[in-house]
Amino acid sequence: MFRLKSGLALPLSALCLASTNAAAQDQITTPPAATAHPSLWPAAHWPWRSDPAMEARIRSLLASMSIEEKVGQILQADIASVTPQDVRRYHLGSVLNGGNAGPGGDDYAPPAQWLKLADTFYDASMDTSAGGHAIPVMWGTDAVHGHSNIIGATLFPHNSALGAAHDPALIRRIAAATAIEVRATGIDWTFAPTITVPQDTRWGRAFEGYSSDPALVASYAGPFIEGLQGKPNSGPILAGPHVIATAKHFLADGGTAQGRDQGDAQISEEKLRDIHGTPYVAAINAGVLSIMASFSSWNGEKMTGNHGMLTDVLKQRMGFGGLVVSDWNAHGQVAGCSNASCPRAITAGIDMLMAPDSWKALYTSLNAQARDGTLPMARLDEAVASVLRVKMRAGLFEAGRPSSRPYAGRFDLLGASDHRAIAREAVRKSLVLLKNAGNILPLAPGSRILVAGDGADDVARQSGGWTLSWQGTGLSPAMFPGATTLWQGLRQAAADAGGQATFSPDGRFTGPRPDAAIVVFGEAPYAEFQGDISTLRLKPDQRTPLETMRRLKAQGIPVIAVMLTGRPLWTNPELNTADAFVVAWLPGSEGGGVADMLLRPAQGPARNFIGRLPFAWPATARPDGPLLFPLGYGLTGKEPGSLKKLSEEAGVAEDTASADIYLNKGIAGPGWSLEMRESAGSTRITTVPAVSAGGRVTVAATDHIVQEGARRFTITGQGAASVAITSQAAADLSRQTNGEMLLVATVRVDQAPAMPVRIAMGSVASMAYVDAGKLEGMPIGQWRRIGVPLKCFRAGGADLAKVNMPFALETSGPASLSLAEVKLGMEADTILACAKD
């Protein structure tokens, strides 16, 4: 498999951007529509004591550091786009591993390779052979439900599940266990906890929030931060089993209109404060050392460039004394900025720019801007001081190589039995019982149980996004050593109670009639904007287990529905059909915790359900519709648990369209057209077979999975000819480009191209091309998925905020190729490399 090469590829316009031009852009930016009033905000109590010796040390360093060293300290680069040599040369202050980055380009590298790379980056940062200061690099990671990038680590339930537990003490223990597992791999900084307060669960990151109730979220913020960092003023963080914590995302990422990720919170300042600001008071009081600014906006102004919120409110009024880090290339979305230049983010209050693949261009522009005054030296010094202060409080200067620190190399701590026990306890406490007709749960010892459903035997499915990969997709069972699926947990629990369990995904069985059936269903993994939805309804392919439930009920078999989900969704048909309904959320690696609650043990009393809804449950699929269960609802299993018959009218039209699917089963998606193009003009394909205007391109139906599920294109003669997907309306792919997405085409080579092939994206005004060669390595007659990183098209000059041709495949000679699907995604058999600089 070809993988994207890590070399940076930036548009010429970005590389040549002058600092004076950036300053001019800042000057012509429309005045912000969102104005903060700091006096309206609460004053938190920053607990870290000022250390005169530390402050003197910082002043001394700043006085002797070059501008280049200072600029380097406020940049954070992704390990897929930076080398240890770069860290040494550019004095970079931090690195991170994004959701799809790993040592040597291997996202699934063993723990020892992560620790080895941590040593290599550290050594580079401390190398003064070419001059400069030895300032240790920090490594940040998204350990958001355990050390979830590492194979074998404990995967705790996602935050929406933990909110159902209503247990701050449990949260502290989860954080402490996570910190130890992170330390085992030599990493010292995690981008957790997420203390968002989601108000619209259409948001694709709703599962990262503990609750829609700001008081509940605030009650978790302090314990989680102390579990990660320890208590302030108790010595260097890295001297104990701790890591640097990050509260995110400041502010109102969970309050955007229509639940759109990276969208706009169109709310009053009072709501901004009382709903979304409340948890940050608790976080600051706990001494969180970093806060991540949000991608999102407040009343039209991006938080990453909002001086009033970042400086006037957060730093001055609320007294936050740590460092403020931006999100993944979020600075490029600030008005007047680009990924390559954004002094405004720093002047607004950002202390470190997360610039995964844009750091080198930023390094150039920020150095120029610091010299010409666009970036005031006093503000640069403040930002650097914030970074140095966090490093000193962490004890990084004295900690030595990552492999020499406490807990480093203790890979037995990854997935340790006591950590898994905490995770299993968290699963038990987070389950919410919504229905229990006839008090069928817990099932009696000795029961014969049928386990069904497409999510019953899948650790990746039950763990959700941010699991080994960004989207939590493309994973195999072998990647979860020591983990337990729901099916495995149920099988063991049934045997321990003197019964037996069998597994049948579709619920069909032979042999003895089961006493009860447990059907597992729900959402498939997603992360960030890929999880945004337009209605509160499962996708059609995720609703097929309902038919299994109905068939089993028709056979007179009691049904227990177990739902895997990151958020409340409309499930009235399932609630009507099942005798019992349990929300399992996204429980993570310890599926045995579900079995603990569903089956009565052979000895001792049954456990009572204690989970209560952290979000209200909808009565329809309308986002603004009525509620079925209120916030805080949950049965214990003791009380009568029947429900009256619920309406099965969703209240919304079926939404089968996806903005990220351009061609499906050979047919253009809604709003898109499939065309043949050559010198004689373009021909829209409405029926097949068809011939292009000049006769050089023909199209016919062919099979892929289903009959006529693809289109076969045959090109003859010489001269440029292409197959393209177009639209009159432009699509904005900015978020997807920042998110490391791929353009994925499912292609079959029927006749090898005589000339090289190019894949294109853009618009008439700005089209970019990526070379696919002659599709070497693709066997004739076999389907393969070709992926092109969207950032390749951005680097080639395409304006991905205005795309009306998301795909074109072009060649200049004879060829025959079949096309089944074109979409945005994260998985491909072959990933093309961007053009070299």
Side-chain angles (χ1 to χ4, degrees):
M1 176 183 292
F2 296 99
R3 301 291 275 174
L4 172 64
K5 301 184 186 303
S6 60
L8 297 172
L10 292 167
L12 288 175
S13 58
L15 293 174
C16 300
L17 187 63
S19 61
T20 52
N21 182 46
Q25 284 181 313
D26 277 356
Q27 291 169 2
I28 64 173
T29 299
T30 302
T35 301
H37 300 83
S39 62
L40 297 178
W41 290 75
H45 303 285
W46 181 245
W48 290 92
R49 292 190 294 268
S50 179
D51 183 339
M54 179 186 296
E55 296 306 316
R57 187 180 181 188
I58 291 171
R59 288 194 298 272
S60 176
L61 267 173
L62 286 173
S64 58
M65 289 172 70
S66 66
I67 291 177
E68 289 79 5
E69 287 179 290
K70 292 177 181 180
V71 167
Q73 281 301 299
I74 65 170
L75 294 176
Q76 183 181 60
D78 184 68
I79 62 171
S81 298
V82 70
T83 66
Q85 293 72 27
D86 290 329
V87 168
R88 178 174 59 249
R89 177 180 176 184
Y90 296 100
H91 317 286
L92 299 181
S94 180
V95 297
L96 82 153
N97 58 284
N100 287 83
D106 182 2
D107 309 353
Y108 312 122
Q113 292 301 312
W114 292 81
L115 181 57
K116 181 180 179 180
L117 185 60
D119 273 350
T120 307
F121 276 122
Y122 173 85
D123 292 344
S125 70
M126 302 301 284
D127 184 353
T128 59
S129 59
H133 296 79
I135 301 176
V137 68
M138 291 190 295
W139 184 332
T141 190
D142 281 292
V144 295
H145 66 130
H147 197 13
S148 49
N149 287 281
I150 305 297
I151 289 178
T154 309
L155 299 174
F156 295 94
H158 269 295
N159 286 358
S160 57
L162 297 179
H166 292 76
D167 191 339
L170 173 64
I171 293 300
R172 188 190 307 271
R173 289 190 287 137
I174 288 171
T178 299
I180 288 176
E181 296 201 18
V182 171
R183 290 291 299 276
T185 57
I187 296 174
D188 38 53
W189 182 10
T190 177
F191 304 133
T194 302
I195 57 173
T196 183
V197 189
Q199 299 299 292
D200 188 330
T201 53
R202 289 178 292 177
W203 184 36
R205 304 191 76 159
F207 69 81
E208 297 185 51
Y210 295 115
S211 175
S212 61
D213 177 9
L216 176 56
V217 179
S219 75
Y220 276 17
F224 199 97
I225 289 162
E226 288 188 1
L228 289 175
Q229 287 189 175
K231 288 189 175 293
N233 308 307
S234 57
I237 287 174
L238 297 181
H242 300 121
V243 293
I244 301 163
T246 308
K248 65 182 189 183
H249 304 87
F250 188 87
L251 189 63
D253 52 338
T256 60
Q258 301 177 350
R260 177 178 167 82
D261 190 43
Q262 303 182 24
D264 188 19
Q266 299 165 7
I267 56 177
S268 68
E269 187 170 4
E270 288 75 16
K271 284 188 176 180
L272 184 71
R273 176 195 65 198
D274 297 340
I275 297 175
H276 304 282
T278 294
Y280 283 90
V281 176
I284 294 169
N285 289 345
V288 67
L289 282 178
S290 68
I291 288 178
M292 186 179 293
S294 180
F295 267 118
S296 60
S297 305
W298 172 46
N299 290 336
E301 184 178 2
K302 287 289 182 180
M303 278 289 174
T304 301
N306 191 320
H307 184 278
M309 290 304 304
L310 295 179
T311 297
D312 298 343
V313 171
L314 178 61
K315 293 185 175 182
Q316 296 179 359
R317 175 63 177 174
M318 300 181 77
F320 174 62
L323 73 87
V324 179
V325 61
S326 61
D327 209 335
W328 185 280
N329 276 337
H331 60 274
Q333 298 183 13
V334 173
C337 291
S338 68
N339 281 5
S341 176
C342 192
R344 180 177 170 183
I346 305 299
T347 58
I350 297 293
D351 299 307
M352 178 175 282
L353 289 168
M354 185 186 292
D357 56 357
S358 59
W359 63 268
K360 189 176 287 187
L362 275 175
Y363 178 86
T364 300
S365 62
L366 285 170
N367 268 286
Q369 289 151 2
R371 284 184 162 81
D372 70 15
T374 304
L375 174 59
M377 188 59 64
R379 174 63 198 121
L380 176 60
D381 284 351
E382 284 178 355
V384 177
S386 294
V387 174
L388 295 175
R389 195 172 291 114
V390 167
K391 291 183 176 184
M392 291 178 185
R393 283 184 168 141
L396 265 173
F397 281 85
E398 295 74 37
R401 301 181 88 209
S403 62
S404 71
R405 300 171 191 169
Y407 308 98
R410 288 284 311 279
F411 303 132
D412 58 306
L413 296 173
L414 294 168
S417 59
D418 56 335
H419 297 171
R420 292 190 183 276
I422 297 170
R424 186 165 179 163
E425 176 188 349
V427 174
R428 290 195 298 267
K429 290 182 172 179
S430 66
L431 300 186
V432 179
L433 181 63
L434 297 182
K435 181 181 180 181
N436 193 24
N439 294 92
I440 186 174
L441 291 179
L443 297 174
S447 296
R448 290 190 302 270
I449 301 167
L450 174 68
V451 179
D454 53 8
D457 194 29
D458 191 335
V459 177
R461 179 80 174 268
Q462 70 195 40
S463 298
W466 296 109
T467 299
L468 298 185
S469 68
W470 175 39
Q471 294 292 317
T473 57
L475 308 175
S476 69
M479 295 176 175
F480 298 97
T484 303
T485 67
L486 270 64
W487 151 241
Q488 291 167 338
L490 290 163
R491 178 181 58 188
Q492 184 64 53
D496 291 345
Q500 63 179 20
T502 57
F503 178 50
S504 171
D506 66 0
R508 300 184 187 278
F509 63 92
T510 59
R513 178 188 182 83
D515 297 315
I518 297 172
V519 181
V520 182
F521 75 106
E523 292 192 289
Y526 56 82
E528 297 193 53
F529 50 81
Q530 288 299 104
D532 284 0
I533 52 178
S534 58
T535 70
L536 299 177
R537 192 175 191 179
L538 287 167
K539 296 177 180 178
D541 63 316
Q542 296 165 0
R543 303 200 296 265
T544 55
L546 175 60
E547 296 309 312
T548 300
M549 296 181 205
R550 287 173 171 163
R551 187 175 65 251
L552 290 166
K553 281 290 291 181
Q555 294 172 278
I557 299 170
V559 171
I560 295 94
V562 176
M563 186 177 186
L564 299 175
T565 184
R567 52 194 162 191
L569 295 171
W570 179 72
T571 48
N572 285 13
E574 290 83 0
L575 279 161
N576 282 337
T577 304
D579 296 276
F581 190 104
V582 176
V583 186
W585 309 103
L586 298 172
S589 60
E590 306 314 303
V594 175
D596 291 342
M597 302 303 296
L598 300 189
L599 280 68
R600 185 188 301 273
Q603 303 293 328
R607 293 183 171 95
N608 294 323
F609 286 83
I610 63 171
R612 291 176 286 127
L613 290 176
F615 303 88
W617 200 272
T620 73
R622 290 204 331 265
D624 59 349
L627 301 179
L628 180 60
F629 300 113
L631 178 76
Y633 180 85
L635 302 173
T636 67
K638 288 184 174 181
E639 65 278 80
S642 296
L643 280 177
K644 66 179 182 180
K645 181 78 171 180
L646 303 172
S647 168
E648 297 193 5
E649 291 296 323
V652 296
E654 185 69 78
D655 183 9
T656 59
S658 171
D660 290 347
I661 298 179
Y662 308 117
L663 187 78
N664 184 35
K665 297 179 182 177
I667 299 172
W672 301 100
S673 298
L674 183 61
E675 297 181 356
M676 299 176 284
R677 297 181 163 219
E678 44 139 331
S679 58
S682 63
T683 304
R684 181 176 297 179
I685 301 169
T686 56
T687 60
V688 290
V691 182
S692 64
R696 288 190 51 222
V697 186
T698 60
V699 59
T702 187
D703 297 341
H704 175 255
I705 301 178
V706 298
Q707 186 176 6
E708 298 192 0
R711 299 291 179 262
R712 179 173 178 173
F713 296 89
T714 301
I715 301 172
T716 59
Q718 302 296 319
S722 64
V723 177
I725 298 172
T726 65
S727 175
Q728 293 297 316
D732 184 353
L733 301 185
S734 302
R735 293 188 307 168
Q736 290 88 335
T737 306
N738 256 359
E740 296 288 293
M741 300 296 293
L742 306 172
L743 174 68
V744 182
T746 301
V747 177
R748 184 182 69 197
V749 177
D750 300 307
Q751 175 191 327
M755 301 292 289
V757 170
R758 297 193 301 172
I759 295 176
M761 173 182 279
S763 65
V764 174
S766 63
M767 187 67 68
Y769 299 84
V770 173
D771 182 17
K774 294 183 181 179
L775 301 178
E776 295 90 348
M778 289 191 63
I780 301 297
Q782 296 186 26
W783 290 99
R784 290 290 185 271
R785 295 170 301 170
I786 300 175
V788 185
L790 294 187
K791 66 181 181 181
C792 294
F793 298 118
R794 181 182 65 195
D799 181 358
L800 296 189
K802 300 175 182 178
V803 174
N804 55 25
M805 188 182 292
F807 174 83
L809 189 150
E810 176 185 292
T811 189
S812 297
S816 183
L817 305 167
S818 294
L819 196 61
E821 184 179 59
V822 178
K823 66 178 184 178
L824 302 185
M826 293 297 298
E827 301 172 48
D829 302 307
T830 298
I831 299 180
L832 302 180
C834 298
K836 294 182 179 180
D837 293 345

